[in-house]
Protein backbone atom coordinates (compact mmCIF):
# COMPACT_ATOMS: atom_id res chain seq x y z
CA UNK A 1 0.00 0.00 0.00
CA UNK A 2 2.88 2.38 0.79
CA UNK A 3 4.42 1.82 -2.65
CA UNK A 4 1.02 2.53 -4.21
CA UNK A 5 0.71 5.76 -2.24
CA UNK A 6 4.20 6.84 -3.32
CA UNK A 7 3.34 6.03 -6.93
CA UNK A 8 0.07 7.93 -6.62
CA UNK A 9 1.87 11.02 -5.32
CA UNK A 10 4.36 10.79 -8.19
CA UNK A 11 1.57 10.55 -10.77
CA UNK A 12 -0.27 13.47 -9.15
CA UNK A 13 2.91 15.57 -9.27
CA UNK A 14 3.51 14.69 -12.92
CA UNK A 15 -0.06 15.60 -13.84
CA UNK A 16 0.25 18.92 -11.99
CA UNK A 17 3.49 19.79 -13.80
CA UNK A 18 1.98 18.79 -17.14
CA UNK A 19 -1.00 21.07 -16.46
CA UNK A 20 1.38 23.94 -15.67
CA UNK A 21 3.33 23.38 -18.90
CA UNK A 22 0.08 23.20 -20.87
CA UNK A 23 -1.29 26.39 -19.32
CA UNK A 24 1.98 28.27 -19.89
CA UNK A 25 2.16 27.21 -23.56
CA UNK A 26 -1.45 28.23 -24.10
CA UNK A 27 -0.93 31.60 -22.39
CA UNK A 28 2.20 32.27 -24.45
CA UNK A 29 0.35 31.48 -27.68
CA UNK A 30 -2.54 33.77 -26.74
CA UNK A 31 -0.23 36.67 -25.83
CA UNK A 32 1.87 36.31 -28.99
CA UNK A 33 -1.19 35.90 -31.20
CA UNK A 34 -3.52 38.57 -29.85
CA UNK A 35 -1.23 41.03 -28.06
CA UNK A 36 1.73 41.06 -30.50
CA UNK A 37 -0.43 40.15 -33.53
CA UNK A 38 1.79 37.31 -34.72
CA UNK A 39 -0.30 35.20 -37.15
CA UNK A 40 1.67 31.96 -36.49
CA UNK A 41 3.30 32.23 -33.03
CA UNK A 42 4.73 28.73 -32.84
CA UNK A 43 7.92 29.56 -30.96
CA UNK A 44 6.35 31.38 -28.00
CA UNK A 45 4.42 28.31 -26.74
CA UNK A 46 7.39 26.06 -27.51
CA UNK A 47 9.70 28.19 -25.37
CA UNK A 48 7.23 28.28 -22.46
CA UNK A 49 6.55 24.55 -22.66
CA UNK A 50 10.23 23.56 -22.83
CA UNK A 51 11.08 25.79 -19.87
CA UNK A 52 8.23 24.43 -17.73
CA UNK A 53 9.18 20.79 -18.40
CA UNK A 54 12.66 21.26 -16.92
CA UNK A 55 13.52 19.87 -13.50
CA UNK A 56 11.77 21.52 -10.56
CA UNK A 57 13.94 24.29 -9.18
CA UNK A 58 15.59 24.88 -12.56
CA UNK A 59 12.63 26.00 -14.66
CA UNK A 60 13.31 29.71 -14.34
CA UNK A 61 16.99 29.20 -15.14
CA UNK A 62 15.99 27.03 -18.11
CA UNK A 63 13.80 29.85 -19.48
CA UNK A 64 16.68 32.32 -19.22
CA UNK A 65 19.02 29.88 -20.97
CA UNK A 66 16.53 29.36 -23.78
CA UNK A 67 16.37 33.11 -24.26
CA UNK A 68 20.17 33.40 -24.25
CA UNK A 69 20.45 30.74 -26.96
CA UNK A 70 17.83 32.42 -29.14
CA UNK A 71 19.51 35.83 -28.83
CA UNK A 72 22.92 34.40 -29.69
CA UNK A 73 21.61 32.44 -32.68
CA UNK A 74 19.65 35.37 -34.04
CA UNK A 75 22.66 37.68 -33.77
CA UNK A 76 25.01 35.25 -35.49
CA UNK A 77 22.49 34.37 -38.20
CA UNK A 78 21.72 38.00 -39.01
CA UNK A 79 25.42 38.95 -39.13
CA UNK A 80 26.38 36.04 -41.39
CA UNK A 81 23.39 36.65 -43.65
CA UNK A 82 24.23 40.37 -43.91
CA UNK A 83 27.88 39.70 -44.77
CA UNK A 84 27.58 36.72 -47.15
CA UNK A 85 24.00 36.90 -48.29
CA UNK A 86 22.08 33.75 -49.14
CA UNK A 87 24.17 30.83 -50.33
CA UNK A 88 25.30 27.30 -49.52
CA UNK A 89 28.19 28.48 -47.36
CA UNK A 90 26.05 30.81 -45.29
CA UNK A 91 24.22 28.02 -43.48
CA UNK A 92 27.40 26.13 -42.61
CA UNK A 93 29.17 29.25 -41.35
CA UNK A 94 26.17 30.39 -39.29
CA UNK A 95 25.81 27.00 -37.58
CA UNK A 96 29.56 26.71 -36.96
CA UNK A 97 29.92 30.22 -35.52
CA UNK A 98 26.84 29.92 -33.28
CA UNK A 99 27.97 26.54 -31.90
CA UNK A 100 31.57 27.66 -31.45
CA UNK A 101 30.55 30.89 -29.73
CA UNK A 102 28.18 29.11 -27.34
CA UNK A 103 30.85 26.54 -26.51
CA UNK A 104 33.50 29.24 -26.02
CA UNK A 105 31.19 30.95 -23.53
CA UNK A 106 30.84 27.61 -21.69
CA UNK A 107 27.10 27.78 -22.07
CA UNK A 108 24.69 25.06 -20.99
CA UNK A 109 23.63 22.49 -23.56
CA UNK A 110 20.22 24.08 -24.07
CA UNK A 111 21.91 27.40 -24.94
CA UNK A 112 24.14 25.69 -27.49
CA UNK A 113 21.21 23.92 -29.16
CA UNK A 114 18.97 26.98 -29.24
CA UNK A 115 21.76 29.13 -30.67
CA UNK A 116 22.26 26.68 -33.54
CA UNK A 117 18.51 26.29 -34.18
CA UNK A 118 17.95 30.06 -34.23
CA UNK A 119 20.80 30.69 -36.65
CA UNK A 120 19.50 27.89 -38.92
CA UNK A 121 16.02 29.41 -39.02
CA UNK A 122 17.33 32.88 -39.76
CA UNK A 123 19.47 31.70 -42.67
CA UNK A 124 16.90 29.20 -44.00
CA UNK A 125 14.04 31.70 -44.05
CA UNK A 126 16.25 34.58 -45.15
CA UNK A 127 13.90 37.15 -43.69
CA UNK A 128 15.10 39.64 -41.09
CA UNK A 129 11.55 40.35 -40.02
CA UNK A 130 11.17 36.67 -39.15
CA UNK A 131 14.22 36.91 -36.89
CA UNK A 132 12.73 39.85 -35.03
CA UNK A 133 9.42 38.01 -34.70
CA UNK A 134 11.22 34.94 -33.35
CA UNK A 135 12.91 37.15 -30.76
CA UNK A 136 9.54 38.57 -29.70
CA UNK A 137 8.17 35.02 -29.45
CA UNK A 138 11.16 33.93 -27.38
CA UNK A 139 10.74 36.89 -25.02
CA UNK A 140 7.03 36.13 -24.73
CA UNK A 141 7.51 32.43 -24.03
CA UNK A 142 10.35 32.98 -21.57
CA UNK A 143 8.40 35.73 -19.81
CA UNK A 144 5.34 33.53 -19.40
CA UNK A 145 7.53 30.67 -18.16
CA UNK A 146 9.13 32.97 -15.56
CA UNK A 147 5.71 34.12 -14.37
CA UNK A 148 4.63 30.50 -13.90
CA UNK A 149 7.88 29.24 -12.35
CA UNK A 150 8.82 32.21 -10.17
CA UNK A 151 5.54 33.91 -9.23
CA UNK A 152 2.60 31.53 -9.56
CA UNK A 153 4.23 28.16 -8.84
CA UNK A 154 7.71 28.74 -7.37
CA UNK A 155 9.81 25.75 -6.34
CA UNK A 156 9.71 24.79 -2.66
CA UNK A 157 13.28 23.76 -1.72
CA UNK A 158 12.26 21.59 1.23
CA UNK A 159 9.70 19.68 -0.82
CA UNK A 160 12.28 19.07 -3.56
CA UNK A 161 14.72 17.63 -1.04
CA UNK A 162 12.10 15.46 0.62
CA UNK A 163 11.01 14.07 -2.75
CA UNK A 164 14.57 13.10 -3.68
CA UNK A 165 15.19 11.66 -0.21
CA UNK A 166 12.04 9.55 -0.43
CA UNK A 167 13.07 8.13 -3.81
CA UNK A 168 16.53 7.20 -2.47
CA UNK A 169 15.13 5.63 0.72
CA UNK A 170 12.59 3.58 -1.25
CA UNK A 171 15.36 2.30 -3.52
CA UNK A 172 17.47 1.33 -0.49
CA UNK A 173 14.50 -0.41 1.15
CA UNK A 174 13.78 -2.35 -2.07
CA UNK A 175 17.39 -3.50 -2.25
CA UNK A 176 17.36 -4.61 1.39
CA UNK A 177 14.08 -6.47 0.82
CA UNK A 178 15.75 -8.46 -1.95
CA UNK A 179 18.73 -9.06 0.35
CA UNK A 180 16.47 -10.36 3.13
CA UNK A 181 14.74 -12.68 0.64
CA UNK A 182 18.15 -13.95 -0.45
CA UNK A 183 19.02 -14.76 3.17
CA UNK A 184 15.65 -16.39 3.78
CA UNK A 185 15.94 -18.59 0.67
CA UNK A 186 19.73 -19.00 0.89
CA UNK A 187 19.84 -17.92 -2.75
CA UNK A 188 23.16 -16.68 -4.13
CA UNK A 189 21.45 -15.35 -7.25
CA UNK A 190 19.13 -13.17 -5.18
CA UNK A 191 22.07 -11.98 -3.11
CA UNK A 192 23.89 -10.83 -6.25
CA UNK A 193 20.69 -9.20 -7.44
CA UNK A 194 20.46 -7.29 -4.16
CA UNK A 195 24.02 -6.03 -4.67
CA UNK A 196 23.04 -4.79 -8.13
CA UNK A 197 19.90 -3.05 -6.86
CA UNK A 198 21.79 -1.29 -4.08
CA UNK A 199 24.49 -0.25 -6.55
CA UNK A 200 21.76 1.40 -8.62
CA UNK A 201 20.86 3.49 -5.57
CA UNK A 202 23.83 5.62 -6.62
CA UNK A 203 21.64 7.04 -9.41
CA UNK A 204 19.12 8.26 -6.83
CA UNK A 205 21.93 9.72 -4.74
CA UNK A 206 23.22 11.59 -7.79
CA UNK A 207 19.73 13.05 -8.24
CA UNK A 208 19.75 14.03 -4.57
CA UNK A 209 23.04 15.88 -5.04
CA UNK A 210 21.63 17.66 -8.08
CA UNK A 211 18.62 18.76 -6.05
CA UNK A 212 20.97 19.93 -3.31
CA UNK A 213 22.91 22.08 -5.77
CA UNK A 214 19.66 23.47 -7.15
CA UNK A 215 18.44 24.29 -3.66
CA UNK A 216 21.61 26.24 -3.00
CA UNK A 217 20.40 28.67 -5.67
CA UNK A 218 16.73 28.52 -4.68
CA UNK A 219 17.33 29.23 -0.99
CA UNK A 220 18.88 32.59 -1.88
CA UNK A 221 15.37 33.74 -2.76
CA UNK A 222 13.52 32.43 0.30
CA UNK A 223 13.07 33.77 3.81
CA UNK A 224 16.01 33.45 6.20
CA UNK A 225 14.28 31.01 8.55
CA UNK A 226 13.22 28.86 5.62
CA UNK A 227 16.76 28.87 4.24
CA UNK A 228 18.05 27.62 7.61
CA UNK A 229 15.52 24.78 7.55
CA UNK A 230 16.58 23.79 4.03
CA UNK A 231 20.27 23.88 4.96
CA UNK A 232 19.61 21.61 7.95
CA UNK A 233 17.60 19.18 5.84
CA UNK A 234 20.33 19.21 3.19
CA UNK A 235 22.89 18.26 5.84
CA UNK A 236 20.67 15.35 6.88
CA UNK A 237 20.23 14.32 3.25
CA UNK A 238 23.99 14.10 2.80
CA UNK A 239 23.99 11.19 5.26
CA UNK A 240 22.06 9.18 2.67
CA UNK A 241 25.33 8.81 0.76
CA UNK A 242 26.80 7.00 3.75
CA UNK A 243 23.62 4.99 4.30
CA UNK A 244 23.53 3.85 0.68
CA UNK A 245 27.23 2.91 0.74
CA UNK A 246 26.77 1.06 4.03
CA UNK A 247 23.84 -0.98 2.69
CA UNK A 248 25.82 -1.84 -0.46
CA UNK A 249 28.73 -3.07 1.66
CA UNK A 250 26.33 -5.12 3.78
CA UNK A 251 24.89 -6.77 0.66
CA UNK A 252 28.36 -7.61 -0.64
CA UNK A 253 29.31 -9.20 2.69
CA UNK A 254 26.08 -11.22 2.73
CA UNK A 255 26.69 -12.39 -0.84
CA UNK A 256 30.12 -13.74 0.14
CA UNK A 257 29.12 -15.27 3.51
CA UNK A 258 28.14 -18.91 4.08
CA UNK A 259 24.58 -20.07 4.74
CA UNK A 260 24.88 -20.39 8.53
CA UNK A 261 26.32 -16.89 8.94
CA UNK A 262 23.65 -15.40 6.68
CA UNK A 263 20.87 -17.02 8.64
CA UNK A 264 21.99 -15.39 11.88
CA UNK A 265 21.40 -11.87 10.51
CA UNK A 266 18.13 -12.49 8.70
CA UNK A 267 15.96 -10.83 11.38
CA UNK A 268 18.19 -7.72 11.77
CA UNK A 269 18.16 -7.16 7.99
CA UNK A 270 14.35 -7.41 7.95
CA UNK A 271 14.16 -4.95 10.82
CA UNK A 272 16.46 -2.48 9.07
CA UNK A 273 14.37 -2.76 5.93
CA UNK A 274 11.20 -1.94 7.87
CA UNK A 275 12.86 1.04 9.58
CA UNK A 276 14.11 2.54 6.30
CA UNK A 277 10.76 1.95 4.58
CA UNK A 278 8.96 3.71 7.44
CA UNK A 279 11.30 6.69 7.08
CA UNK A 280 10.53 6.90 3.37
CA UNK A 281 6.81 7.09 4.15
CA UNK A 282 7.11 9.62 7.00
CA UNK A 283 9.95 12.06 6.44
CA UNK A 284 7.73 14.98 7.46
CA UNK A 285 6.75 13.35 10.76
CA UNK A 286 9.00 13.84 13.80
CA UNK A 287 7.53 10.82 15.59
CA UNK A 288 8.36 8.60 12.63
CA UNK A 289 11.95 9.82 12.63
CA UNK A 290 12.20 9.33 16.39
CA UNK A 291 10.86 5.77 16.18
CA UNK A 292 13.32 5.03 13.37
CA UNK A 293 16.21 6.29 15.52
CA UNK A 294 15.03 4.32 18.57
CA UNK A 295 14.49 1.10 16.62
CA UNK A 296 17.88 1.46 14.93
CA UNK A 297 19.56 1.95 18.31
CA UNK A 298 17.82 -1.13 19.72
CA UNK A 299 18.86 -3.09 16.65
CA UNK A 300 22.50 -1.97 16.90
CA UNK A 301 22.59 -2.84 20.60
CA UNK A 302 21.09 -6.28 19.97
CA UNK A 303 23.60 -6.96 17.21
CA UNK A 304 26.45 -6.03 19.57
CA UNK A 305 25.22 -8.46 22.21
CA UNK A 306 24.60 -11.29 19.74
CA UNK A 307 28.02 -10.83 18.12
CA UNK A 308 29.77 -11.15 21.46
CA UNK A 309 29.68 -14.98 21.21
CA UNK A 310 32.27 -17.30 19.67
CA UNK A 311 34.77 -15.67 17.36
CA UNK A 312 33.54 -15.70 13.75
CA UNK A 313 35.26 -13.36 11.32
CA UNK A 314 32.40 -13.31 8.78
CA UNK A 315 29.76 -12.72 11.47
CA UNK A 316 31.90 -9.99 13.04
CA UNK A 317 32.17 -8.18 9.71
CA UNK A 318 28.42 -8.48 9.13
CA UNK A 319 27.65 -7.26 12.64
CA UNK A 320 29.94 -4.27 12.20
CA UNK A 321 28.31 -3.47 8.84
CA UNK A 322 24.82 -3.70 10.35
CA UNK A 323 25.79 -1.38 13.22
CA UNK A 324 27.24 1.09 10.74
CA UNK A 325 23.98 1.13 8.76
CA UNK A 326 21.97 1.54 11.99
CA UNK A 327 24.19 4.48 12.98
CA UNK A 328 23.64 6.11 9.58
CA UNK A 329 19.87 5.72 10.00
CA UNK A 330 19.99 7.40 13.41
CA UNK A 331 22.06 10.25 11.98
CA UNK A 332 19.78 10.69 8.98
CA UNK A 333 16.77 10.80 11.31
CA UNK A 334 18.19 14.01 12.77
CA UNK A 335 20.60 13.04 15.55
CA UNK A 336 24.15 14.42 15.44
CA UNK A 337 26.73 11.83 14.46
CA UNK A 338 28.66 12.21 17.74
CA UNK A 339 25.45 11.69 19.74
CA UNK A 340 24.53 8.67 17.58
CA UNK A 341 27.93 7.04 18.17
CA UNK A 342 27.67 7.73 21.90
CA UNK A 343 24.19 6.17 21.93
CA UNK A 344 25.54 3.03 20.22
CA UNK A 345 28.27 2.75 22.86
CA UNK A 346 26.00 3.34 25.87
CA UNK A 347 22.78 1.83 24.55
CA UNK A 348 20.77 4.96 25.38
CA UNK A 349 19.78 7.85 23.11
CA UNK A 350 19.74 11.04 25.15
CA UNK A 351 19.26 13.40 22.21
CA UNK A 352 15.81 13.62 20.69
CA UNK A 353 15.11 14.10 17.02
CA UNK A 354 14.24 17.76 16.28
CA UNK A 355 10.79 18.55 14.85
CA UNK A 356 10.53 18.12 11.10
CA UNK A 357 9.54 21.21 9.14
CA UNK A 358 6.58 20.75 6.81
CA UNK A 359 6.85 22.05 3.25
CA UNK A 360 4.08 24.65 2.97
CA UNK A 361 1.30 24.02 0.45
CA UNK A 362 0.75 26.31 -2.48
CA UNK A 363 -2.30 27.96 -0.93
CA UNK A 364 -0.30 28.52 2.22
CA UNK A 365 2.54 30.13 0.26
CA UNK A 366 0.14 32.30 -1.71
CA UNK A 367 -1.59 33.38 1.51
CA UNK A 368 1.78 34.08 3.14
CA UNK A 369 2.95 36.22 0.25
CA UNK A 370 -0.40 38.07 0.16
CA UNK A 371 -0.27 38.77 3.90
CA UNK A 372 3.35 39.92 3.63
CA UNK A 373 2.57 42.31 0.80
CA UNK A 374 -0.51 43.63 2.62
CA UNK A 375 1.57 44.29 5.71
CA UNK A 376 4.20 46.15 3.71
CA UNK A 377 1.56 48.25 1.95
CA UNK A 378 -0.29 48.93 5.21
CA UNK A 379 2.94 49.81 6.99
CA UNK A 380 3.94 52.16 4.17
CA UNK A 381 0.52 53.84 4.26
CA UNK A 382 0.68 54.28 8.03
CA UNK A 383 4.17 55.77 7.87
CA UNK A 384 3.07 58.12 5.09
CA UNK A 385 0.01 59.15 7.09
CA UNK A 386 2.13 59.68 10.18
CA UNK A 387 4.60 61.87 8.32
CA UNK A 388 1.72 63.84 6.81
CA UNK A 389 0.13 64.42 10.25
CA UNK A 390 3.45 65.47 11.72
CA UNK A 391 4.09 68.01 8.98
CA UNK A 392 0.58 69.47 9.41
CA UNK A 393 1.10 69.78 13.16
CA UNK A 394 4.33 71.63 12.65
CA UNK A 395 2.75 74.01 10.19
Amino acid sequence: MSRLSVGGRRVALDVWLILQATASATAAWLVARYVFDHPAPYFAPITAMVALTANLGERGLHAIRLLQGVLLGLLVGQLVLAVLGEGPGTMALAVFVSLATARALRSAQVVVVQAAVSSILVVALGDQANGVQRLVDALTGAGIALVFSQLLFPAEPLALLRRAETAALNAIADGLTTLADAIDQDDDRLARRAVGELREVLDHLLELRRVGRTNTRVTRRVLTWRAKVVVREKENAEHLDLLGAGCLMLARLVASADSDTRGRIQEPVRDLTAVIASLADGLDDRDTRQRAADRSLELATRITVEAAGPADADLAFLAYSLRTVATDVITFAGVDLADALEAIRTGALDRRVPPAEMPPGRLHRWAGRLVGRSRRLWGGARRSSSRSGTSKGRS
Side-chain angles (χ1 to χ4, degrees):
M1 183 63 69
S2 62
R3 294 294 182 269
L4 290 177
S5 63
V6 171
R9 289 195 295 269
R10 185 179 300 114
V11 170
L13 175 64
D14 289 342
V15 170
W16 176 238
L17 295 179
I18 291 172
L19 287 175
Q20 290 183 33
T22 302
S24 68
T26 304
W29 183 86
L30 290 172
V31 171
R33 176 66 181 87
Y34 295 104
V35 176
F36 296 109
D37 197 26
H38 184 188
Y42 61 90
F43 194 68
I46 289 176
T47 302
M49 182 274 296
V50 171
L52 265 293
T53 53
N55 291 321
L56 279 173
E58 297 182 350
R59 300 189 299 177
L61 180 61
H62 206 63
I64 298 298
R65 286 172 172 171
L66 282 170
L67 188 57
Q68 290 174 344
V70 171
L71 288 172
L72 177 59
L74 289 177
L75 178 62
V76 171
Q78 296 286 4
L79 287 176
V80 173
L81 195 62
V83 172
L84 299 181
E86 298 182 10
T90 304
M91 177 67 73
L93 183 60
V95 173
F96 177 81
V97 173
S98 60
L99 288 174
T101 304
R103 290 291 188 184
L105 295 175
R106 296 184 178 181
S107 302
Q109 184 65 22
V110 66
V111 178
V112 176
V113 172
Q114 284 301 319
V117 169
S118 296
S119 63
I120 289 171
L121 289 176
V122 169
V123 175
L125 297 175
D127 185 0
Q128 293 186 355
N130 181 74
V132 174
Q133 188 63 66
R134 179 172 165 81
L135 175 59
V136 173
D137 280 357
L139 289 169
T140 302
I144 294 295
L146 289 173
V147 169
F148 271 73
S149 64
Q150 305 302 309
L151 297 179
L152 297 179
F153 310 107
E156 170 52 49
L158 189 57
L160 293 177
L161 269 178
R162 293 279 171 80
R163 194 174 298 119
E165 288 173 340
T166 298
L169 287 170
N170 279 324
I172 292 173
D174 290 342
L176 289 178
T177 298
T178 303
L179 183 63
D181 292 340
I183 297 173
D184 183 39
Q185 302 172 26
D186 193 20
D187 190 328
D188 291 336
R189 182 186 61 82
L190 272 181
R192 291 192 295 271
R193 177 179 163 187
V195 172
E197 290 180 2
L198 288 168
R199 186 179 289 117
E200 291 176 358
V201 171
L202 296 176
D203 294 335
H204 294 280
L205 297 176
L206 287 174
E207 172 65 12
L208 185 59
R209 294 190 197 102
R210 185 198 65 77
V211 172
R213 290 192 299 270
T214 300
N215 281 347
T216 300
R217 296 190 297 268
V218 174
T219 49
R220 296 170 186 164
R221 303 190 297 270
V222 300
L223 297 176
T224 302
W225 72 270
R226 174 64 61 185
K228 292 179 180 178
V229 169
V230 173
V231 169
R232 185 169 65 245
E233 186 69 21
K234 183 181 175 184
E235 291 173 352
N236 288 342
E238 290 172 353
H239 292 293
L240 277 180
D241 279 340
L242 299 177
L243 179 59
C247 291
L248 177 58
M249 178 58 68
L250 174 64
R252 294 178 63 188
L253 290 173
V254 169
S256 62
D258 57 59
S259 300
D260 292 338
T261 304
R262 288 178 183 175
R264 297 176 66 178
I265 66 165
Q266 178 181 351
E267 184 179 352
V269 171
R270 291 284 187 193
D271 290 343
L272 266 177
T273 304
V275 169
I276 294 174
S278 68
L279 268 177
D281 292 333
L283 281 176
D284 296 330
D285 183 30
R286 177 192 177 277
D287 291 337
T288 299
R289 289 187 180 226
Q290 186 64 60
R291 283 194 298 270
D294 293 338
R295 290 173 64 188
S296 297
L297 175 61
E298 186 274 330
L299 176 64
T301 305
R302 190 174 78 236
I303 293 169
T304 303
V305 173
E306 291 176 351
D312 186 329
D314 288 342
L315 182 60
F317 280 129
L318 285 169
Y320 177 79
S321 181
L322 281 165
R323 288 198 301 274
T324 300
V325 173
T327 304
D328 291 335
V329 172
I330 297 172
T331 307
F332 173 74
V335 179
D336 289 339
L337 178 59
D339 294 329
L341 293 173
E342 181 64 21
I344 297 294
R345 284 192 292 267
T346 62
L349 183 59
D350 296 329
R351 298 289 184 179
R352 312 306 293 171
V353 173
E357 296 289 343
M358 290 289 292
R362 291 182 180 85
L363 292 178
H364 178 79
R365 293 200 301 271
W366 283 350
R369 287 197 295 270
L370 182 60
V371 169
R373 291 169 183 169
S374 300
R375 286 176 177 173
R376 288 194 296 271
L377 291 174
W378 176 249
R382 290 184 62 184
R383 286 192 297 271
S384 176
S385 177
S386 176
R387 286 194 298 268
S388 176
T390 301
S391 62
K392 288 181 180 179
R394 290 176 179 174
S395 62

